[in-house]
Amino acid sequence: MKSDEVIKIKIRNLNVQKNTKKPQKEKSARETIGNDFDEEVVDKFPEVLPWNLPAPDSEKNGEKDSEKYRAVLVNADDEKVKETEEKEKKPKIAIVSLTSCEGCQFALLDLGEKFMEAMEKVDMVDFRLIEDEEDSGEKLDIGFVEGNPMTKANKKTLKALRKRSKLLVVLGNCAAMGGVPEIKNYQEQKNTAKHVYKYIRGIDNVEIQEVDNFVKVDFTFPGCPITGEEFLEYFPMLLESAKTGKSLPELADKPVCVECKAKGNRCMLLDKKPCFGPMIQGGCDAVCPSAGMMCQGCRGLRPKGNIKAMRATLKNMMTDEEFENVTEIYGLRDDIFEREYKLDSK
Amino acid sequence: MKIQINHIAKIEGHAGFMASVLRGDVKSAKIEVREGVRLIEGILIGRHYKDMPIVAQRICGICPVVHNLTSIKAIENAMKVKVSEEAIKLRKVMEHAQFIHSHALHLFFLSLADFLDIENDLNLVKEYPEETKKAIKIREYGMDLVRTIGGRVVHPLTNEVGGFKKVPTLEEIRELIVKGEEILPVAMELGNFFKKIKLPEFSRPTEYVSLYKKGEYAIYDGNITSNKGLHVKADNFEDRFHEFQRPKEMIKRVMRDGRTSYMVGAIARVNNQGEKLSMRARHFLSSLNFKNPDFNPFHNVLYQMVEIIHCIEDSTKLLRELGHSDLKNALTKKYEVREGQAAAAVEAPRGTLYYWVDVDFKGYIKGVNIITPTAQFLTHLEDDIAAFIPGILDEKDEKVREKKMRAFIRAYDPCISCAVH
């Protein structure tokens, strides 16, 4: 009886959160896409902004002039021109990290030579794990972001990245779904800090929100951490979309079970052991079930995942409370509630 | 005069640095943390103990193996769960592997460029292609070990309370032994390359704290000892090392007896128990001609190289032993969930990692305390920098001065994500 009551209260809390969260979500997304400051300035003093000044003649007939430019410089230093030209042609990207374990950056770095090869095709403007140079803040083709925007500085970094990037791509569970820190939202929320700190004054302890609550997200690499191979697969497509403006790639809608089966694992559900595989987005090579661990859903719900059937199956293997506890680990719980709410209201 | 670095790149996590100097006297030197609070200790309370290793290892993306392992060990100590010899050996190999790939990343990709005056690793790769290949190879060997035994490199999966969910096959173990034999000479060559690099001079006598166990280079268990005569069990760690929080600060600092700062990590371990390293690591160490104790924190980079050689040799030895035993013994056996509270300490790449846990009779967690290496040496790092600054004040060029400071901070290999958890 008692535990049922607790769940009911928890559900109620969650619904309250949802109601208050919803309108915020839409508003903040809209706010952040348009840059209000610039618009104001442009309205008042259109002439002060460099991009409103008449373009010099040399830029107007671009190609011809750049050829002239090349002809002059070829004599001076052949190789250097080639190098700088290549650099200018290469798409610019940055990998930025917010509050996280930085495991997704390491998942990339751990690809070793494969990663270096992929990076040869682009101009890496900012990746502070491997370079000391200051980021000049230039425009980007793709901005990658890992981690959760928890601090004010994190939020500023994120918004600045969105402004300067054609595409904003999210790396990993913390950014996409809130990650492990989101457990706080389901528990004591702000009070969780009291278990850790004696003086909670001055500690920036906010509700955990995913990146898409603050800025528009163009593509998401899910997982805790992301799958390096998957990154390599979609990276060229993303570059292509950024360059041509063509439609963005989409992850294939397949459950974890597809890869799990291909690996020859015995289905855990058959042995009455819980596993979230059928409702979760695949692409992780089913690492967890292959290591004898249930899928806990770090990659999030797949678009066509049948939650109701999944929950009915799991009812025989775990209690509702256990189910909810597991979904909390990777911030899956609010997504499931949202999906169920939608299904019910239909 | 103020010395300020807004963002220290090429370390794990986000931090800046600020110091104020008045007429040649360093008034304050402070690492400023720019990381959000994830409250890992707080969110674990009320959760089932089986969630703890999964959540806790997500403190750090570079050393998840040790966070996972220490939380498992703390729970096992609290619930009095016995683990088989084979499981312990597999865990030790994983820990060695963690050392190898974390150290190789730090000494080559994060720190080396500082001593060669290169700003970007992509340039470092171009200028030293042979050495880069070696460093990558060594790192890949470490990652191979974690992948084969743990199931995945970042956030491994198989290790759990009571043993392993899945063990590698004998075939896989044999492959790893062969790889280990191949990689050892590569590591020795990279070591010789590092020997030629001129590291800056600096020295400040201090206390070195690490694990210590009779008969082995202690990284998996042992008592906590120091070169100043301290010797306590892991359970009594918090009696001698006091954690405290300055208002408005997110990192809880740790001081020995609440007073003095101390150092942990590769430099502390090798100074405290260097005589127990594997044979080739000992040879390499003696060829460095460092005195013992050695108080130059820049040498931390070379001590990490010593440990890489030791870990490769030792893990190959352990794997050979595992090749002759029944690996199925390492699988988790049934155990009883009991209430209790206990501590555990292991050596992480950056120093002693300490966990304390309180579990109730149903297996729900009532209390957790995690003390990470960076939280322990952060105050020591600030004290060291305060002593280091006067030596570089003659430097007129601000950029050169800043560079030297960054090199100093990076030689420590701080992990800010671990420190604020």
Side-chain angles (χ1 to χ4, degrees), chain A residues 97-104 106-107 109-113 116 124 128-134 150-151 154 180-181 183-184 187-190 192-193 195-205 208 224-225 287-288 290-293 296 298 322 325-326 328-330, chain B residues 7-14 35-43 45 47 51 54-55 58-62 105 110 114 119-123 125 133 136 139-140 143 150-155 157-158 165-166 245-252 364 406 410 417 420-421:
Chain A
S97 159
L98 309 173
T99 298
S100 65
C101 76
E102 307 199 348
C104 294
F106 284 107
L109 215 57
D110 289 352
L111 288 167
E113 276 174 31
M116 294 290 176
M124 178 73 81
R128 42 158 289 286
L129 207 55
I130 58 167
E131 58 187 15
D132 218 351
E133 292 154 328
E134 289 255 333
M150 266 182 230
T151 65
N154 281 165
V180 161
I183 295 175
K184 178 175 83 178
Q187 292 183 339
E188 295 159 275
Q189 299 175 7
K190 281 209 157 184
T192 307
H195 295 298
V196 186
Y197 293 109
K198 201 170 168 187
Y199 312 106
I200 48 172
R201 205 184 113 231
I203 295 216
D204 207 356
N205 174 26
I208 305 294
C224 183
V287 271
C288 295
S290 304
M293 197 171 127
Q296 295 181 321
C298 71
E322 279 169 342
N325 269 330
V326 177
E328 281 170 9
I329 298 179
Y330 298 107
Chain B
H7 193 143
I8 309 162
K10 289 167 80 178
I11 59 168
E12 240 263 82
H14 305 259
E35 197 85 32
V37 287
R38 289 171 291 161
L39 307 173
I40 301 287
E41 289 150 312
I43 57 180
I45 289 173
R47 295 196 76 80
D51 291 350
I54 297 167
V55 174
R58 284 172 169 80
I59 286 175
C60 181
I62 189 164
L105 176 82
L110 302 186
D114 286 334
E119 286 239 319
N120 187 324
D121 273 3
L122 299 173
N123 295 339
V125 171
K133 264 185 206 152
I136 289 182
R139 220 173 113 63
E140 257 157 26
M143 294 194 297
R152 176 166 66 183
V153 179
V154 182
H155 305 320
L157 305 154
T158 52
K165 293 189 196 86
K166 195 186 169 191
Q245 184 205 358
R246 290 180 191 160
K248 292 197 180 181
E249 223 181 48
M250 281 166 277
I251 292 186
K252 285 183 275 180
Y364 287 90
R406 278 189 215 176
R410 277 200 281 260
S417 311
V420 189
H421 45 262

Side-chain angles (χ1 to χ4, degrees), chain A residues 50-51 53-66 68:
Chain A
W51 49 84
L53 294 173
D57 292 343
S58 58
E59 267 184 33
K60 274 181 188 163
N61 29 354
E63 274 200 333
K64 276 180 191 170
D65 269 61
S66 77
K68 252 189 237 164

Side-chain angles (χ1 to χ4, degrees), chain A residues 5-21:
Chain A
E5 273 171 31
V6 171
I7 294 165
K8 268 180 202 159
I9 292 168
K10 277 185 180 172
I11 293 170
R12 217 175 293 140
N13 281 345
L14 239 128
N15 285 338
V16 170
Q17 264 181 32
K18 199 143 282 122
N19 290 339
T20 52
K21 212 168 144 186

Side-chain angles (χ1 to χ4, degrees), chain B residues 208-226:
Chain B
Y208 284 135
V209 176
S210 74
L211 290 184
Y212 191 91
K213 196 183 179 190
K214 250 190 179 172
E216 63 176 65
Y217 190 77
I219 57 165
Y220 180 75
D221 56 359
N223 291 333
I224 290 143
T225 50
S226 84

Side-chain angles (χ1 to χ4, degrees), chain B residues 72-357:
Chain B
I72 288 171
K73 269 188 69 186
I75 297 166
E76 281 171 356
N77 291 348
M79 305 203 303
K80 299 193 175 59
V81 179
K82 283 256 153 48
V83 191
S84 68
E85 198 61 31
E86 285 82 0
I88 290 177
K89 276 181 189 160
L90 276 178
R91 284 176 180 179
K92 276 184 184 168
V93 176
M94 269 179 87
E95 218 187 329
H96 280 129
Q98 171 76 84
F99 273 60
I100 294 166
H101 82 72
S102 167
H103 281 353
L105 176 82
H106 173 252
L107 60 79
F108 197 89
F109 294 100
L110 302 186
S111 221
L112 178 62
D114 286 334
F115 307 119
L116 300 173
D117 222 16
I118 299 173
E119 286 239 319
N120 187 324
D121 273 3
L122 299 173
N123 295 339
L124 176 80
V125 171
K126 266 183 209 152
E127 272 185 54
Y128 295 90
E130 282 306 307
E131 284 75 15
T132 307
K133 264 185 206 152
K134 281 173 195 162
I136 289 182
K137 245 181 149 180
I138 294 169
R139 220 173 113 63
E140 257 157 26
Y141 168 69
M143 294 194 297
D144 267 348
L145 288 178
V146 181
R147 199 178 296 120
T148 314
I149 302 171
R152 176 166 66 183
V153 179
V154 182
H155 305 320
L157 305 154
T158 52
N159 200 359
E160 66 176 351
V161 174
F164 280 80
K165 293 189 196 86
K166 195 186 169 191
V167 288
T169 58
L170 274 181
E171 195 58 35
E172 285 170 326
I173 296 270
R174 261 180 233 132
E175 264 171 39
L176 290 176
I177 295 172
V178 174
K179 276 184 190 161
E181 279 163 352
E182 280 169 7
I183 207 71
L184 188 60
V186 180
M188 301 293 289
E189 282 163 29
L190 191 68
N192 288 334
F193 167 74
F194 265 87
K195 244 193 286 186
K196 282 182 242 153
I197 287 157
K198 211 179 163 291
L199 296 172
E201 285 301 322
F202 174 80
S203 182
R204 187 178 74 94
T206 183
E207 183 170 17
Y208 284 135
V209 176
S210 74
L211 290 184
Y212 191 91
K213 196 183 179 190
K214 250 190 179 172
E216 63 176 65
Y217 190 77
I219 57 165
Y220 180 75
D221 56 359
N223 291 333
I224 290 143
T225 50
S226 84
N227 60 341
K228 287 195 175 167
L230 179 90
H231 196 92
V232 291
K233 281 188 180 155
D235 274 319
N236 301 331
F237 181 88
E238 283 182 79
D239 298 343
R240 303 307 298 272
F241 297 92
H242 301 167
E243 202 183 28
F244 65 91
Q245 184 205 358
R246 290 180 191 160
K248 292 197 180 181
E249 223 181 48
M250 281 166 277
I251 292 186
K252 285 183 275 180
R253 287 151 189 280
V254 189
M255 300 281 239
R256 158 98 135 92
D257 293 325
R259 272 197 298 267
T260 51
S261 63
Y262 60 98
M263 181 62 184
V264 292
I267 189 170
R269 285 190 293 262
V270 178
N271 270 290
N272 282 359
Q273 42 177 348
E275 73 282 357
K276 288 184 291 186
L277 287 161
S278 71
M279 191 183 68
R280 284 192 182 77
R282 246 181 299 140
H283 280 310
F284 180 70
L285 177 64
S286 60
S287 74
L288 292 172
N289 286 325
F290 292 156
K291 55 181 194 288
N292 187 336
D294 170 21
F295 294 118
N296 185 351
F298 285 109
H299 291 171
N300 194 32
V301 180
L302 279 166
Y303 287 121
Q304 288 185 333
M305 192 68 232
V306 173
E307 285 199 325
I308 288 181
I309 297 170
H310 167 79
C311 289
I312 294 173
E313 256 195 306
D314 215 34
S315 57
T316 313
K317 192 184 129 216
L318 285 166
L319 285 169
R320 277 215 188 86
E321 288 171 23
L322 282 167
H324 292 292
S325 54
D326 189 5
L327 281 165
K328 284 208 178 97
N329 290 337
L331 290 172
T332 314
K333 284 183 205 78
K334 267 206 169 170
Y335 55 84
E336 202 186 325
V337 175
R338 265 185 277 206
E339 75 179 316
Q341 37 185 263
V346 307
E347 285 293 335
R350 293 165 182 77
T352 315
L353 176 63
Y354 170 87
Y355 270 65
W356 175 85
V357 69

Side-chain angles (χ1 to χ4, degrees), chain A residues 95-311:
Chain A
I95 300 176
V96 174
S97 159
L98 309 173
T99 298
S100 65
C101 76
E102 307 199 348
C104 294
Q105 286 188 57
F106 284 107
L108 292 180
L109 215 57
D110 289 352
L111 288 167
E113 276 174 31
K114 278 189 234 160
F115 178 64
M116 294 290 176
E117 261 168 41
M119 289 305 118
E120 267 165 25
K121 290 176 199 125
V122 296
D123 177 14
M124 178 73 81
V125 177
D126 187 19
F127 186 17
R128 42 158 289 286
L129 207 55
I130 58 167
E131 58 187 15
D132 218 351
E133 292 154 328
E134 289 255 333
D135 176 12
S136 54
E138 57 203 300
K139 291 269 178 216
L140 299 169
D141 289 283
I142 309 180
F144 290 94
V145 63
E146 164 215 53
N148 194 281
M150 266 182 230
T151 65
K152 278 178 199 138
N154 281 165
K155 282 166 198 159
K156 226 171 146 185
T157 311
L158 179 63
K159 285 178 187 174
L161 184 73
R162 175 69 262 188
K163 247 185 204 176
R164 59 194 274 228
S165 318
K166 273 191 207 159
L167 296 183
L168 186 95
V169 176
V170 146
L171 298 177
N173 184 262
C174 289
M177 291 159 66
V180 161
E182 203 185 279
I183 295 175
K184 178 175 83 178
N185 290 6
Y186 307 113
Q187 292 183 339
E188 295 159 275
Q189 299 175 7
K190 281 209 157 184
N191 288 331
T192 307
K194 286 182 186 164
H195 295 298
V196 186
Y197 293 109
K198 201 170 168 187
Y199 312 106
I200 48 172
R201 205 184 113 231
I203 295 216
D204 207 356
N205 174 26
V206 293
E207 191 194 336
I208 305 294
Q209 282 176 298
E210 299 86 350
V211 164
D212 62 358
N213 287 297
F214 302 98
V215 294
K216 183 178 153 241
V217 173
D218 294 306
F219 188 79
T220 302
F221 283 105
C224 183
I226 56 164
T227 314
E229 302 294 334
E230 193 180 54
F231 180 87
L232 292 179
E233 191 189 330
Y234 285 90
F235 183 58
M237 295 183 218
L238 287 168
L239 285 178
E240 189 62 31
S241 317
K243 196 176 149 195
T244 59
K246 271 189 207 155
S247 62
L248 288 156
E250 264 178 48
L251 293 180
D253 181 12
K254 57 173 183 193
V256 174
C257 310
V258 175
E259 283 150 307
C260 192
K261 228 176 186 178
K263 277 195 154 187
N265 301 326
R266 185 179 158 77
C267 181
M268 281 194 254
L269 291 167
L270 289 179
D271 296 334
K272 292 264 178 309
K273 281 183 197 157
C275 179
F276 291 175
M279 64 173 177
I280 301 299
Q281 174 69 44
C284 51
D285 212 17
V287 271
C288 295
S290 304
M293 197 171 127
M294 70 175 278
C295 169
Q296 295 181 321
C298 71
R299 291 173 59 86
L301 293 173
R302 71 191 181 92
K304 285 180 195 154
N306 189 342
I307 303 175
K308 292 216 158 155
M310 186 78 235
R311 284 202 80 159

